[in-house]
Structures are given as C-alpha cells and as structure tokens.
Amino acid sequence: VQDLVKGENGLLFTYGVTGSGKTHTMQGSLEDGGIMNRVIDVVFNSIKEVQTRKFRVVPDRLNGFEIVSDAEAAQCRQTEMINNMKNGKSRKANSSNPDLSGRIIEDHKLSIDEDYQYAMFISYVEVYNNYIYDLLDNPEKDIVTGKPKLLSKALREDSYRNMFVGGVTEVECKTPEEALQAYFKGQKQRKVAQTVLNLQSSRSHSIFNIRLASIPYDHLGEDIMTDPSVMTISQLALVDLAGSEKTSRTGNVGERLQEASKINQSLMTLRSCIEILRENQQTGGNKMVPFRDSRLTHLFRNYFEGEGKVKMIVCVNPRVGDFDENVNVMKFAELTQEVEIERPQVVRFDLGMTPGRRRGNQLYREAMKRVESEGVNIQDEEEKPLLYILSNEWPSLELTQCDEEDTLPNLISFLKKRLETRRALLQDSEENHAKFRSLLVKQEEELILLRSQNATLTSQIEAERRKSATLEKRLSNAETANKSLNEKVVTLKDTKVLLENDLDEMELLLNAEQKDKIRAKQKYRQKYISAKEKLEHEHHRINHMKSLKERENKEKMKEKLEELNQMVLGSNYVEENQENVENGARVASARAKFTVSDPDLTVGQDRLSRRRSRSPLKASSSDPRLSLNPNTAAAAPGSARKPSVPAVSNARHRRSRSAGADTWLEHRPLHTVPLDTILQPSPLKQRRKSVGKIEEKDLINSKVNKYLLTTQNQLDDGEMETRLYKGNVIPTSSGGRQVVLNDVEVLHQESPDGGKASSPKKRSFEEYRGISDRIADLQVRCGQAIEGNPLTPALTRSKAKRSRI
C-alpha cells in the first residue's frame, strides 16, 4: 500500500488448495476485516484530505485517465444526482448487502505527498473457464436462453505495453463504504458452488483492482494541473486464486468437473511461468515464458517482467487429507521466494515547483481572511517603505583633487552613524524577537490547551456518535421486532377465530357422536349378550367333544401299549441265553422303533385296521429322532400310494460325476467331547466346509451337494455315543435346496462282560424286574407324548446300520 500511494504497482495473491481459507483471508468479516478491507481503509485514511472532487478525473477506456474542468465535473455530479433520484435510490446501502455500520475500521495512516490530489478507482473481474467477466457490469439478456448473462471481456495492450481488460467498469470511490458496496455488488455475480470439501467453493479467479491517480497542484497550490502527462497512475491487484482440486476427493462431475479442470490448468500455467523465470535466472538463458497459455498469467505479464512488486500469501489447511497437496503448495512457495526479476528504477518527473506550496497557500489564505475580518483593506493601502533602514544613500566617494580632505572624514562619520544605527536596530530587533517569542509561547500554550480540549470534545462527540449509532441500530431492531410481533398477533387472531369456529363445529359433531355412541352402546350390549350365550353353548359342546376324543385316544394308546408289552415279553423268552446288556439293547431298540411309529411293529395290524381305521402315532417335536418320514410312515410296506401334492424335489437326484468331486457341508458342534478311542471320526478328505450354525447362504451354494451332521449323546449307562448323519443336498422346484438323510454311522464303547458281573446265560429276578420297570416307564412316557406333554428323548444304544424288524 505504501508503494501504491508513491506511484508504484503491486500484485498480491493468495495460493493454496481448496478449502484452505483463501477467500476468508482476502475478504474477512465485518468484525475482523480481511486484506482487502484493510487496504481500502488505509488508502482512504491517507488520502482523505487530498482527494479530487468527483468526476474531475475520468477513465478514457484505454487504461488511462483524463482531467476535465470543474464545470464539467459539476455537471456530471448533477446528472448523477438526478439519475439517482429517478431510480429511487437512497443514501442507504442496498438492503441485500451486509450492514457496514458495525464494521471495525482500520485506523492506520500512511504519509503522502500533500502537493498532490488523488482519485481512487475500483474494478472487479473474474477469470472463469479461461474467460474474463466484469463483475461490476450489468448483465445483458442472452438471446438463446433469455436469461441475464455477463459478456466476456478481451485483454488489450495500451501504448505503454501494459495489459488491461478492455471495456472494464471502473467506479470512482470517495469513501470506504462506496468501495465495499462495489465489491459486494461484484460478489453477487461471482461463480461460487458447493463441493464435498467446501460449502462455498470459488469456481473462478477473482481480481479486485485498485487504481490510484495522482495529480500535482499548480505553482500557486490552488488547483490541480490539467495536463494529463503530469499525472501518475499506480495500481494494486488483489487476486483470490481458486484452489487446486482433485476429482477423487471433491467428487465433481459435469460442470463442476469442467471448472476444476480449467482451474488446475491455469494454476499449472502460473507454476510453469515461475519455474521458467527461475530457470532463466539460474542459467542466464532467455527461454520464452508461456504467459499466453492462460488469461490469468497473460493479464499479469507486466508484473512478472519486473514492472511492480509481486507478493504471495500461502494458505494451508492442517487437515490430514490435504497433506500431499499442501506439500506441493509449500514447494511452489519455496520456488517463488528464489525468483528475482530485474526491475527498472522508476524516476518520478520533477516539475520544479516549490514543495509545500499547497500548505503555504492555505496559510496565506487564512492570514488574509483573518486580516479582512479585522477590517483592514490591504488593497487600498499604499505600499509602505521598509521599517529597518541602516542609513540614507551613501556619500560620494569620488576624488576630484589629490589634496581633497573632506571625502575621507565624511565617509568615516557616515560609517560611524551607520554602525550606531545598526546597533540600535539590532537591540530593537532583539527586543521585538523577545516580545514575539513570548507571544508565540503564549499562543502555543493556548494552542496546546485548545488541542487538548478539542481532542476531549472530539472523543466525546465520537462516543456520542457511536452511542447514537448503537441506539439507532437497537431502535431499528426493536421496530423490526415490533413489526414482526404485530404481524404475529394479527396471524394469531385470525388463527384464533378459525380455531373457535372449528371448536364450535367439533362440539356439534361431538354431541352428535355421543348420541350415536349411546345408541350403538345399547345395540352392541344386546349383541354382546346374545353372542355370549351362543359362545358359552359352543364352548360346552367343544369341551364335550374334546373329552370324548381324549377318551378315545387313551383307549387307542392302551391297546398299543398292550401290543408292545406282548412283543417285548415274547422276545425276552426266546432270547433267555443272551446277556442282560443285549436285553436292554432290544428294549431300547423296540422303544426307538415305537417312537418313530414303524407300522411293522404292530401285531395283528390287519385285524385292527378292520376294526377301525386309526391315525399313525404322532412323534414329539422335542426329539429329532422321533420325527417321521412322510414317505415311509404314511404307507405300509409293499403298498403303492400316489402323492396328493405336486412333487417339490427328486429324492433320487444324483449329481453328474463330470461336475467334479463332492463338496461336503459339515455341521458339527462348536465343542466336542474327546473320545480317547482308537477308531476316530476322521475328517473328510473331499472338499468340505465346517460350520457350527447353518445359515441360508450355506445351503443355497450350488457347489455343496453333501451334508454331514455330527452329534454326541450320553447313553443310560454313562457311555458316550457319536453319530454321523450323512445325506444329499438336492434342489427343489421352488428354487431352494433340501437335505435328504440316507446313512448313519455310530461310534460307541462297550464293556466285554456287558458291564455286569452275573452270568450271561441266566437271568436273575432283579434283571427281569428291571426290564418290566423300563417297559412301565416307556408306557408312562409314551402316554405323556401323546397327551401333548414334553417328552425327554430316549438315550438308546444300538449298532450301526441295523435292519428294521
């Protein structure tokens, strides 16, 4: 900024990845202004008292300015005022723009040359998809879409080979508020979109350009000079570069993807220009810098050629995901620090005018006004001779005669008189100096006192002004809140009226519904009484039928148990010479056969079937070994019975051997009890998959065609029995899979003597009595299973692959 007010150019841009805070660094907030806000405040704080009147300096549309007369400027100001009145604009800012009343103002001030007047101009452009748009321009209607659209601008080169945007809008600003209003106007037209990494991601490079025109005063210090050649133009470009993006992280598609591509391309061009400048610096070569590859670098070509200072602000986000991109940013920043460009020394043209002429002219005018206020007319008074004169004219020193003696004594007397006069004048001057000094000290004391009073009053006025502004803001907020509350009251009143009407209607409906409820209650009470009587009668009838059915089932069960008892007693007498262990095994086998309801166990089945048709004995669902096979239990051996339902699977299904080896699904418990036997169930050598709990996906797998279930049970004598159930996994008609068990392998241990010390050829009374007790226990348990009580599965000992009786 110091270089800007001194007439030098500057470029400041922010660089970093997307979402690293570049826009916030440049713009900031109202409470904590960014770089742009602070630059505007500092510039206006410095040139506030030496600004030109508006429209005295106007752009010539060719990257220069023209100086017009005061009369033309006054006419332009009047025209602007009339246009504002016609458009209905007020002094207040646009309501859509942020309220600048609470903005924190930067109070820093720079020293400037007071013999110049300054005019500040603002322009705001963006580089979007490698096209330049003027954000302060009014959008025009698109002939294709019919929507307002900004027209792209072209780059131009002036007579001094400086690059500029042709036809760009430059707004003359006299206060910081006007400059910020122009910036907010441009922000509304800037391209901003939402990405995965940033809620408001800049989709273009924005360039906020500040141009300062400095015009010197004339030799009298009264007005600026009208010659444009003596005018100095300096500019400061504040550039907010769009961040580099990776598509894999931002998730951009479509238009966002095209924007990201153009952004990355322009940033790569900027990096290439810096790298080539560094290479030329190191090698002393003259390699061409590709400024024209991008509009961004082409616009700032003069800066990279040494006509102005270039500064870069690196923005870094400490997020872990941005580490790799931040490393590239820091490397580029390190590279830019090493670039040095030979910049020509700018020599400001010296006009040969007296420095401080503006201040001297002001003091002269103030003195003249003070004298005129005292009633002295300086123009009518005659010119007075000087007050301090040492003597009259010198005497003649010409010698006419060689013996003339009067000339020298006259000269001596004249000099003595001149010395006395000089001494008197010096004494009088010292006295006047002392008086003036005392008067000056007095005036200075009064001035210091007045300044302190002025500072106190100024601070009080400023405090009162701030207090007034705060009160006005609170009043405005209170009025807004009051207006909102009044609107709410009106809305609530209307709602109250509507609710009261609805309440009246609901009360009428409620009264009618209550009457209907009373009638319905009486009606349903009669129906309830009649239905209750009917249900009680039906309940009695059902209980009677149920008791008859239970009695019939008990009779059937008794007959079945008698037949079983006869079978067991008959087998015991035939096998008297076998061991007691084999007797227990036969009873257990008979009990197991009875459990699965094998129709071959019945004696005199033909006779019983002729007496009455009886349904087969149903097994308990609590024991898996008591489950029935519908194909074997429903029909007697040798009888051919057609199924009553459509077939869902083929029990004889065999997989083609060309399909490869079998794949087993091994279903085994999570924890098995070690057997410590020589014969062990060895693991399958074929391909297999072991699971502890079968899920749907295990059976749906088309590669599985064999099933193996491993169980371990404890027998009555405490021995451990291991069973391996094998089966095929076949497809069904509904698209599912079915397991059909076809083989069982049993592994258990027995004692050589059967576990008893008595002779195996004779039966004791106690052993026979034990068999009877077992049969009685079997009867009780079978009776419980038939009556619907839970049945504990019988633990039996049998050999593998027994043939059916």
Side-chain angles (χ1 to χ4, degrees), residues 9 25 145 174 273 315 325 377:
N9 298 332
T25 303
T145 61
K174 295 299 179 184
C273 295
C315 299
E325 297 183 34
N377 190 359

Side-chain angles (χ1 to χ4, degrees), residues 158-170:
D158 61 5
S159 58
Y160 298 99
R161 297 190 72 255
N162 295 322
M163 301 303 300
F164 69 98
V165 180
V168 70
T169 303
E170 291 188 283

